[in-house]
Amino acid sequence: MRERTLIIVKPDGVERGLSDQILERFTANGFTVVQRKEMTIPRSLAEQHYAEHVNKPFFPSVVNYMTSGPVVVAILEGEDAVARARALMGPTDPAKATPGTIRGDFGESIDRNTIHGSDSAESAQREIHLFFGENPN
Ligand code: CMP
């Protein structure tokens, strides 16, 4: 099924100039970039984005980190976009990610893991709305 997902190239990725390379991995795998923008995420938006983790011990550090510098946020579209994007990213912890995945190749630590991707179609819808508003194309 054709669907959309949201990815965020995190500050460690943007800092190292990896955004274009990372987006090319998706387009080379049949994804379309529907929208992309570079921004520094306001704290309130980061808190909303990670609301499901509010009670986790890593919540304050992930919010601090995600607001610490520019990120690139993109809406990607493709067949089974959520699952296929997650496969290209690799597991959350780069130490567990195999080479060839984005986190396996670029991730530095569980916090500086280079990329975020929506974890379900519902999260994708919610996150796209948070970052791009009501009618993103
Ligand atoms: P992300 O996909 O952006 O979603 C939440 C982020 O919290 C995650 O990637 C990690 O960068 C960060 N994080 C830090 N510690 C943990 C943990 N123990 N489990 C999951 N995510 C963590």
Side-chain angles (χ1 to χ4, degrees), residues 36-79:
R36 79 174 269 183
K37 65 179 175 189
E38 183 163 328
M39 67 185 291
T40 300
I41 304 178
R43 179 160 294 267
S44 59
L45 178 55
E47 286 170 351
Q48 285 180 72
H49 173 68
Y50 284 120
E52 68 175 302
H53 298 305
V54 69
N55 293 318
K56 307 264 175 64
F58 59 83
F59 181 76
S61 73
V62 76
V63 168
N64 282 339
Y65 174 55
M66 292 300 282
T67 55
S68 69
V71 300
V72 170
V73 191
I75 302 174
L76 304 179
E77 191 174 291
E79 283 298 312

Side-chain angles (χ1 to χ4, degrees), residues 7 12 19 23 35 40 49 72 87 95 101 105 112 122 125-126 129:
I7 62 109
D12 63 277
S19 318
L23 284 171
Q35 295 261 14
T40 300
H49 173 68
V72 170
T101 64
D105 290 345
R112 294 172 62 87
E122 295 69 37
Q125 245 190 339
R126 189 180 74 83
H129 185 252

Side-chain angles (χ1 to χ4, degrees), residues 103-124:
R103 286 164 172 160
D105 290 345
F106 303 121
E108 298 177 336
S109 68
I110 196 158
D111 291 311
R112 294 172 62 87
N113 65 349
T114 314
I115 188 164
H116 163 83
S118 309
D119 65 5
S120 66
E122 295 69 37
S123 303

Side-chain angles (χ1 to χ4, degrees), residues 3 5 7 21 24 30 32 34 73 76 82 99 108 113 115 121 124:
E3 65 182 5
T5 190
I7 62 109
Q21 254 192 81
E24 275 162 22
T32 304
V34 176
V73 191
L76 304 179
V82 172
E108 298 177 336
N113 65 349
I115 188 164

Side-chain angles (χ1 to χ4, degrees), residues 20-33 84 88:
D20 288 345
Q21 254 192 81
I22 288 173
L23 284 171
E24 275 162 22
R25 289 199 180 198
F26 290 100
T27 53
N29 280 280
F31 287 83
T32 304
V33 179
R84 288 179 52 245
L88 289 174

